[in-house]
Amino acid sequence: MNKQPRTAVILCTCSGIISEKIDWDAVQAQLAEHPDKPVVTTDELACGAENLEKLAAWLKEHQPERVVVAACSPREHERTFRGLLASAGINPYYLQMINVREQVAWVTADPGEATRKAARLIGAALKRVRHHQPLVERHVPVRTDVAVIGAGPAGIQAALTLARAGRRVTLIEKEPFFGGMPVRFEELFPNLECGPCLLEPGMGELLHGPESEHIELLTLTEVTEVKGSFGNWQLSLRQQPRYVNPELCIGCMVCAAVCPERRENPWNCGGELAAVDGPFVGALPNLPHVDAARCLKLNGQECGACLAECPVEGALDFGDTIRDSVVEAGAIIVATGAEELPVAPPAFAGKDNVFSAYSFERLLAMTGPSGGELVKGDGAAPASLAIVQCAGSFDDAVTYCSGTCCQAALKYAHIAAAKQEGLTVTRLVREQVVAGVNAARLFSHDHSQVVRYGGLGDLTVAETDRGRVIVCGSNGAEVPADMIVLCGPTVPGQGTTQTARLLELGVDDAGFIAPIHALSGSFLSPLKGVYLAGTCRGPGDIREAFASGTAAAGVALSELVEGRDLTVDPQVAVVAAEQCAGCKSCIRVCPYKAISWDDATKTADISDILCRGCGTCVAVCPAGAITAQGFSRAMLRAEIEGVLS
Ligand code: SF4
Ligand code: SF4
């Protein structure tokens, strides 16, 4: 670069906050000797509306090609000063801003030192700004509808919040019903409220309320592929056939009553379903579905009992097929949930009347396999119940506490004791976590025996003349245990693992989807336009599910505004295709999944919408093919040389 571009320097006093440390007159005097001969002005409060007008006039008068502003943090006012340049007819990216308030005036005790440091930073900015290129912001239209994956409490809450704001929502659920886990829990801790009663108003609203016209609920559906980026996602969906026409079926379940074929009920942990049946009493939508693997007719045998008895012609539809479709959405909310890790320690394997927390939950429910009766496998009432907490937690496989199992155990103890007078209830605990006012109340009303144990390996099961007991090896305690509940840890649900893989989202050590920041950004994934709700982010209770569903929907609403285009920051990384060596290193390291492989050109391709300009790919590219616009090597080198010279 032979001829140096004309440069203007604006020095802000910040109403004395900066100038009480930095002597701007001295700096001005130094700049008068600078070889670039910049034009310089000092302003009292450069960000003020009136002063900006005056500065715009001053810039128009001097017509500089580059501008350096020495003021406060770019985070606070870089957009303001870019606007100033634009209003003076100068490309906004010809600006270089230096933070002499936070990084000089506030942290340098000696005014002489502060003045020298400020002058040096301005000198470096003058060297850097020569290399700035004119950049142009791109505006792209965004879709404002949202796809929600998972129709548990978090997904339902997100869908309703969006629909109330008039957004179109596609709510995708892999099961034949919606409501997630809690819709199958008769009482929820800490207040022992009825799970279905708590969820049904929202579920009813979603199916039949005014919001229902904005929500398309797709059950038996999974996402098979996701393409696109913020504002313009395309989700490929595969919906399994229900063999029932939801428009015609009246949900009378006559078909289930006459169906001759039986199968295990996977949702009830006991009991049977007909080949055509509803999953459990109260499941919504109130529709049966046909298990194609068990239906005699679908397997070429003579049947049709359901067809013969169904009171509505066409309600059963054996011509139903798999439906593949593509849904377009501006944002995606992942609410795919968690599940209980099944634990089967050798000491308990093959023993009767040993339950997981979930199967015990269903046993206690009126809609469960025993109609809510607390009975053993032989139909007799138990004399004792042993609830083993932390079963499988704090071990090699699951090192963490799920934070909810203690409350679940207290709930089981309470409900079981209420169902059967005289029942001996013992909780075997390693740690007890009952945080929060309501949880503490549940704890204070607990009348069960408490025995400490040291891990599943510490426990054995023995038959004695007093009946079955669990023996704790570490302390010799013998716990009466006609019925045993092993409360396993909460782990990511299958849908969570699958969705993380599809969207290429990172997971934490436990396999839950890792948010962009665990504290300040727990609803945001690193992918712009993909938000997180519920237990896909880690173990949590229903309160947290409702709250996070609302929060994720709120973020989607604030980012996808009707009529507002997406402004794409041009300060992103770009690949010089002719230099790309095709090693794909950049694709592997980009934390924001902004880089894809272009099969046609055999080069890496960076989406300017997804790129956040972090520079990781620039550093890793062995071919030097990637440049961070606004942070090129030439700019950084010039700035460093300027500071050191
Ligand atoms: S398919 Fe027919 S029989 Fe079965 S629930 Fe629907 S209406 Fe009733
Ligand atoms: S790291 Fe560089 S060379 Fe390798 S694929 Fe990415 S742009 Fe191409």
Side-chain angles (χ1 to χ4, degrees), residues 575 579-587 597 604 617 620-623 625-626:
V575 180
Q579 279 174 258
C580 174
C583 68
K584 301 186 184 173
S585 309
C586 52
I587 298 175
W597 182 248
C617 59
V620 86
C621 176
I626 309 179

Side-chain angles (χ1 to χ4, degrees), residues 256-338:
V258 298
C259 175
E261 187 63 14
R262 289 288 175 269
R263 58 180 159 134
E264 267 185 29
N265 185 335
W267 299 285
N268 239 6
C269 301
E272 288 182 328
L273 288 177
V276 53
D277 215 333
F280 50 89
V281 176
L284 289 177
N286 181 28
L287 298 170
H289 82 284
V290 178
D291 182 341
R294 302 305 296 264
C295 171
L296 300 176
K297 186 174 169 62
L298 286 172
N299 286 287
Q301 297 184 44
E302 281 296 316
C303 191
C306 54
L307 276 172
E309 295 300 323
C310 173
V312 184
E313 193 175 341
L316 283 157
D317 174 13
F318 283 98
D320 202 2
T321 51
I322 287 175
R323 272 183 283 264
D324 289 321
S325 60
V326 175
V327 160
E328 299 193 324
I332 299 171
I333 294 178
V334 180
T336 39

Side-chain angles (χ1 to χ4, degrees), residues 7-11 28 38-43 51-64 66-69 84 88 90:
T7 306
V9 179
I10 298 170
L11 308 173
Q28 282 229 31
V39 288
V40 186
T41 185
T42 306
D43 201 286
N51 293 354
L52 284 168
E53 273 180 35
K54 275 194 275 166
L55 286 169
W58 180 76
L59 289 173
K60 279 182 190 159
E61 181 195 335
H62 290 282
Q63 298 196 348
R66 304 287 190 276
V67 178
V68 171
V69 175
L84 168 68
I90 306 165

